[in-house]
């Protein structure tokens, strides 16, 4: 006696299926395929059909499938695993947050992307973070004499800073010339020094006393001292006003 076999491939493909069989004989069927899935077997109702048993009636066989999952691993530059997981076939791969690479003694690092393109899961993947590197920079800050900032100049590590020359307006007593830049600890800065840290520099000026002549007399003002003189014919005379007090009309 002959019986019929009907099939539900559930989206799969199979060639060479038979539609009827002879009672008392075993049924041998080819294995179907479905992209992105593993074939689990032919089911008769809720049970996996046993093809080793002779068939004794009409059959309705359903192909059962299991979705293929792929292992997706995201790694940092040093091999540290940032994220690992299973993603179903053709499902979207979601990357972790952009990683951060700490600066070392020489370079700063900026995350630039991943070493391979990805969208949906079609295979196992190991994806590694990539970075761009820039030579580490430090800031050389030049201050004015009053403590305000004159300039902040970034300098790459190992390079030298360019010089800035300041001027100071002469006053009635002194002429000023720029004598150099000094560090916070009072040492004169050598601009041949390779920069390896942030630096603050402060200006210093050399004061040169100004000289005035009157009635053949020369007076000089140096610091807190004064050469005093008196001439009855002079229109400019100093006089002593008390201990450590000299007055000089200008």
């Amino acid at each position: 006696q002959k019986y019929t076999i009907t099939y539900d491939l559930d989206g799969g493909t199979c060639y060479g299926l038979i539609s009827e069989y002879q009672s008392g004989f075993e049924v041998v069927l080819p294995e179907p395929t479905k992209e992105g899935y593993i074939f689990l077997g032919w089911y008769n109702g809720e049970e996996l059909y046993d093809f080793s048993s002779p068939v004794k009636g009409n059959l309705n066989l359903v192909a059962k499938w299991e979705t293929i999952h792929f292992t997706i691993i995201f790694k940092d530059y040093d091999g540290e695993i940032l994220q690992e997981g299973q993603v179903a076939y053709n499902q979207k791969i979601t990357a972790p947050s952009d990683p951060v690479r700490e600066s070392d003694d020489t370079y700063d690092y900026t995350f630039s992307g991943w070493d391979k393109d990805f969208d949906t899961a079609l295979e196992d993947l190991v994806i590694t973070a990539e970075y761009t590197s820039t030579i580490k920079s430090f800031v050389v800050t030049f201050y004015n004499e009053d403590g305000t900032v004159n300039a902040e100049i970034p300098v790459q590590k190992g390079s030298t800073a360019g010089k800035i020359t300041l001027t100071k307006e002469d006053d009635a007593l002194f002429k000023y010339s720029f004598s150099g830049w000094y560090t916070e600890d009072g040492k004169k800065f050598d601009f041949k020094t390779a920069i390896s840290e942030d630096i603050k520099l402060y200006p210093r000026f050399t004061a040169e006393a100004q000289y005035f002549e009157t009635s053949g007399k020369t007076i000089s003002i140096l610091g807190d001292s004064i050469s005093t003189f008196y001439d009855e014919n002079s229109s400019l005379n100093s006089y002593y006003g008390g201990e450590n007090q000299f007055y000089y009309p200008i």
Side-chain angles (χ1 to χ4, degrees):
Q1 185 176 354
K2 291 183 178 180
Y3 297 96
T4 61
I5 306 177
T6 56
Y7 305 94
D8 180 358
L9 293 174
D10 190 21
T13 301
C14 191
Y15 299 98
L17 292 175
I18 60 174
S19 60
E20 61 180 20
Y21 67 95
Q22 188 71 34
S23 175
F25 289 89
E26 295 181 7
V27 175
V28 179
L29 297 178
E31 187 171 294
T33 59
K34 184 178 181 180
E35 187 175 8
Y37 293 84
I38 299 172
F39 178 63
L40 299 180
W42 292 104
Y43 278 70
N44 185 22
E46 296 299 320
E47 294 184 358
L48 179 64
Y49 185 73
D50 182 7
F51 285 97
S52 63
S53 300
V55 182
K56 297 180 180 178
N58 296 327
L59 292 175
N60 180 28
L61 299 179
V62 178
K64 295 289 186 180
W65 307 95
E66 179 180 79
T67 303
I68 296 175
H69 287 75
F70 297 103
T71 299
I72 310 297
I73 300 173
F74 288 88
K75 288 186 176 182
D76 208 349
Y77 74 100
D78 57 359
E80 177 187 358
I81 293 177
L82 303 171
Q83 177 177 289
E84 180 176 0
Q86 299 289 309
V87 180
Y89 170 81
N90 211 33
Q91 295 302 299
K92 190 170 184 62
I93 298 171
T94 302
S97 300
D98 293 349
V100 175
R101 181 174 177 178
E102 297 295 329
S103 301
D104 56 30
D105 290 340
T106 304
Y107 294 101
D108 292 320
Y109 297 94
T110 303
F111 175 71
S112 59
W114 304 99
D115 69 336
K116 54 178 64 73
D117 295 330
F118 58 88
D119 183 19
T120 59
L122 301 175
E123 59 181 334
D124 293 333
L125 287 176
V126 177
I127 304 167
T128 303
E130 294 185 322
Y131 299 84
T132 55
S133 61
T134 54
I135 297 177
K136 198 167 187 177
S137 293
F138 298 98
V139 176
V140 179
T141 304
F142 294 86
Y143 288 88
N144 295 311
E145 195 176 25
D146 62 1
T148 59
V149 174
N150 181 283
E152 292 180 318
I153 300 177
V155 180
Q156 287 187 339
K157 181 178 180 179
S159 298
T160 56
K163 293 182 181 180
I164 293 178
T165 300
L166 295 187
T167 59
K168 182 176 180 179
E169 186 176 356
D170 299 340
D171 55 33
L173 302 179
F174 296 100
K175 292 182 178 180
Y176 298 96
S177 59
F178 182 66
S179 58
W181 292 98
Y182 289 76
T183 59
E184 290 180 288
D185 57 4
K187 295 181 180 179
K188 189 171 185 178
F189 183 72
D190 182 358
F191 280 86
K192 295 179 181 178
T193 302
I195 301 300
S196 60
E197 61 182 347
D198 293 334
I199 295 176
K200 296 179 180 180
L201 297 177
Y202 302 87
R204 288 189 185 180
F205 296 88
T206 300
E208 179 183 356
Q210 301 210 53
Y211 295 93
F212 306 89
E213 292 190 10
T214 179
S215 298
K217 300 290 186 178
T218 301
I219 61 172
S220 63
I221 301 172
L222 299 172
D224 58 359
S225 67
I226 184 171
S227 299
T228 65
F229 73 95
Y230 181 82
D231 187 314
E232 63 180 6
N233 296 319
S234 174
S235 62
L236 189 61
N237 289 306
S238 63
Y239 63 93
Y240 182 66
E243 183 177 358
N244 297 325
Q245 295 180 356
F246 291 90
Y247 295 87
Y248 192 85
I250 296 177

